Amino acid sequence: MSNLKVRTRFAPSPTGYMHIGNLRTALFTYLIAKKNNGDFILRIEDTDQERFVDGATEVIYQTLRDCGLNWDEGPDIGGPVGPYVQSERMGIFKQYAEELVQKGEAYYCFCDKERLDEARKIQQASGMTPAYDRHCRNLSKEEIAQKLAAGTPYVIRQRVPETGTTTFHDELYGDISVENAVLDDQILLKTDGMPTYNFANVVDDHLMGITHVVRGNEYLSSAPKYNLLYQSFGWEVPIYIHVEHIMRDATHKLSKRDGDAYFGDFVKKGYLIPAILNYIALLGWAPKGEQEIFSLEELINEFDISGLAKSPAIFDEVKLRAINGEYIRKMPLEQFTEIATPYIKQTVSRTDVDYSVISACLQNRTEMLTDIPEQVDFIDALPEYDTALYCHKKMKTNEENSLDSLKAVLPVLEALDNWTAEGIHEALFALIAELEVKNGLILWPVRVAVSGKQFTPGGGIEICEIIGKDESIARIKKGIELLTK
RNA sequence: GGCCCGUUGGUCAAGGGGUUAAGACGGCGCCCUUUCACGGCGCAAUCAUGGGUUCAAUUCCCGUACGGGUCACCA
């Protein structure tokens, strides 16, 4: 590779929210730059005025920032090769398109849409591959001058060679060759003076000194035409890296329809941003070793294009959940308490409880923050429950001996002043020793009585601590009452 | 349909002419344990297919099937 500084670019068009696949492309693009101490550039491709969505640019900025994919040059911060918004570069494209016309590598085309549509229909009807019929390819100088003078709308088209083959190189796929005969004389400059993506990306990538072009696989089949363009200009072709799509299942791409194709959807669902980033990095890319939890910093070190896959990857939310759970578990308790508290408050309105203690119980049992409310819904008030909950085979408990246990526990807890986990633990285990019974025979009924649930975050002792002495005793009395009949 | 690309367990995937074909998630089982989790241990499960080449193909070549991409004055 050359000794030039690596420069990569993420070039989204502001047409809506940030698709998760798009974000992954941005991630890979960023990683390739940073891995090589290079620059990551943000360019906004807004040449389609009809599809432009208000506010979409802000979403792009915000998403990239939230993910820590900070750009070195871009519309908002400028840079040496700006502007970084394509619509602000109009004049540049026209100038380069005309240069190609001068060189005979492109030509003016005055065909209107109706003629094109009709021609396409005929081609399709006769089973031909639709392509421009090159009606204007060989117009005389006079004809062109005349139409231009008359103000006839025109586009500028690429003059693709009629014979031979074009080969381009992709870092992943190797050399790919196609017959020039199957290439269309694509439009470079539109009637409105805007460049097409096909033209703009070539001109801008060159002008901005982009060394590695990372983009979705859908551009693989137009890459030969871009190569031809580079050749026409006499420019050096960048290194291409085409990445495969993220799929919903074997035959469908992850799309807006699924309702979970956008980055924002996952954040809303309670996934942690570093976990999302970590997971999508693993889709279509495999690290060298066996580690799979990576911070952005670690990804920069670990990343290598040789680990990129050539086949599509199916998005697996179950795995995302698992990774999210890992991030939650390794978080310092203080931080977890902070992010968990709003979720706890969804079902807990008591103010005399310690959120930090609740969070400590919750942390190992939470894969997604949205799992939390349901787990703590017994804290405010004891739910209605069936006394069958007292029966547990392994604990050897049933309704009768649970009643005995609760009756034994009640005075012990009533007499207890040190209402902490340690204090309760000490008191109950002293009772267990005194009665010479198994732990479960006492502890299981306590847990059921104070929670009314089959599964709880933490055991009976922790729950007693959380809900407090008065409430614990009231619930145990309630248990005794329910079991007495 | 033409052209281009791809295909290793349910999913993400490593590997690559001779391997017991990694690992992770999920599943199942066991252990730990006052429930559930966490943690630990273990089990089941994969080279799409047919031909070559070769002493030897999951790996290389060709075909087939299947899947994806593309064929716009969208990007």
Side-chain angles (χ1 to χ4, degrees), chain A residues 98-320:
Chain A
E98 275 163 1
E99 179 185 331
L100 249 26
V101 174
Q102 295 304 317
K103 287 182 163 177
E105 304 283 359
Y107 59 91
Y108 291 100
C109 167
F110 300 94
C111 296
D112 57 33
K113 245 185 158 155
E114 289 67 45
R115 203 192 85 73
L116 260 23
D117 287 345
E118 201 164 314
R120 193 170 8 247
K121 248 179 254 162
I122 294 169
Q123 287 167 334
Q124 277 167 338
S126 57
M128 291 168 64
T129 301
Y132 179 53
D133 61 6
R134 297 181 172 171
H135 182 259
C136 296
R137 194 184 229 237
N138 297 307
L139 257 29
S140 70
K141 278 207 169 65
E142 294 69 34
E143 280 175 293
I144 294 167
Q146 186 193 346
K147 296 208 186 226
L148 251 23
T152 314
Y154 67 90
V155 300
I156 293 179
R157 285 183 184 272
Q158 180 177 3
R159 188 188 298 274
V160 173
E162 288 168 291
T163 58
T165 65
T166 297
T167 299
F168 74 98
H169 183 81
D170 179 279
E171 282 300 292
L172 268 40
Y173 295 96
D175 286 338
I176 296 176
S177 301
V178 296
E179 299 288 330
N180 290 333
V182 306
L183 268 21
D184 197 13
D185 277 3
Q186 63 178 347
I187 291 173
L188 270 19
L189 204 73
K190 304 186 245 183
T191 311
D192 63 3
M194 286 280 196
T196 57
Y197 166 84
N198 299 130
F199 187 54
N201 89 83
V202 169
V203 172
D204 279 348
D205 285 343
H206 174 257
L207 259 26
M208 293 183 173
I210 303 303
T211 57
H212 296 59
V213 171
V214 186
R215 50 156 75 121
N217 197 278
E218 68 270 26
Y219 297 107
L220 209 50
S221 45
S222 27
K225 290 189 280 199
Y226 306 151
N227 250 38
L228 251 15
L229 245 20
Y230 280 102
Q231 281 169 31
S232 298
F233 279 119
W235 294 341
E236 191 185 340
V237 179
I239 293 166
Y240 290 121
I241 298 154
H242 289 93
V243 300
E244 257 295 359
H245 293 290
I246 296 179
M247 312 290 282
R248 181 186 78 216
D249 56 46
T251 57
H252 303 276
K253 281 200 283 186
L254 201 60
S255 71
K256 328 89 223 171
R257 288 240 197 84
D258 309 329
D260 53 5
Y262 295 113
F263 171 72
D265 297 334
F266 292 100
V267 176
K268 243 178 268 161
K269 279 204 237 174
Y271 290 108
L272 269 19
I273 291 173
I276 298 174
L277 225 48
N278 194 149
Y279 175 63
I280 62 177
L282 262 17
L283 273 183
W285 174 74
K288 290 266 188 292
E290 280 179 7
Q291 181 184 344
E292 64 171 12
I293 299 298
F294 298 103
S295 65
L296 226 208
E297 275 306 303
E298 290 173 313
L299 280 175
I300 293 171
N301 289 323
E302 231 14 69
F303 193 80
D304 193 296
I305 19 186
S306 67
L308 286 171
K310 291 198 284 277
S311 47
I314 297 172
F315 193 96
D316 180 12
E317 202 163 336
V318 174
K319 175 88 178 189
L320 207 209

Side-chain angles (χ1 to χ4, degrees), chain A residues 34-83:
Chain A
K34 294 305 156 189
K35 171 91 192 175
N36 297 290
N37 298 309
D39 289 331
F40 174 62
I41 292 142
L42 176 62
R43 183 173 75 217
I44 302 295
E45 308 217 332
D46 59 345
T47 55
D48 185 358
Q49 302 181 313
E50 283 176 28
R51 289 211 309 166
F52 181 84
V53 174
D54 233 27
T57 311
E58 292 312 313
V59 174
I60 294 167
Y61 289 162
Q62 198 52 50
T63 304
L64 258 24
R65 280 197 201 106
D66 286 348
C67 294
L69 305 182
N70 299 314
W71 50 101
D72 299 292
E73 298 167 27
D76 55 334
I77 55 175
V81 293

Side-chain angles (χ1 to χ4, degrees), chain A residues 384-424:
Chain A
E384 297 264 326
Y385 65 92
D386 190 322
T387 52
L389 278 183
Y390 284 100
C391 306
H392 192 288
K393 216 173 114 199
K394 205 176 136 206
M395 298 299 137
K396 299 209 165 57
T397 60
N398 53 44
E399 279 146 322
E400 291 77 47
N401 60 24
S402 290
L403 177 60
D404 295 341
S405 294
L406 291 182
K407 279 178 172 168
V409 164
L410 185 60
V412 171
L413 292 184
E414 278 175 330
L416 182 66
D417 290 323
N418 178 22
W419 199 265
T420 61
E422 301 78 56
I424 301 164

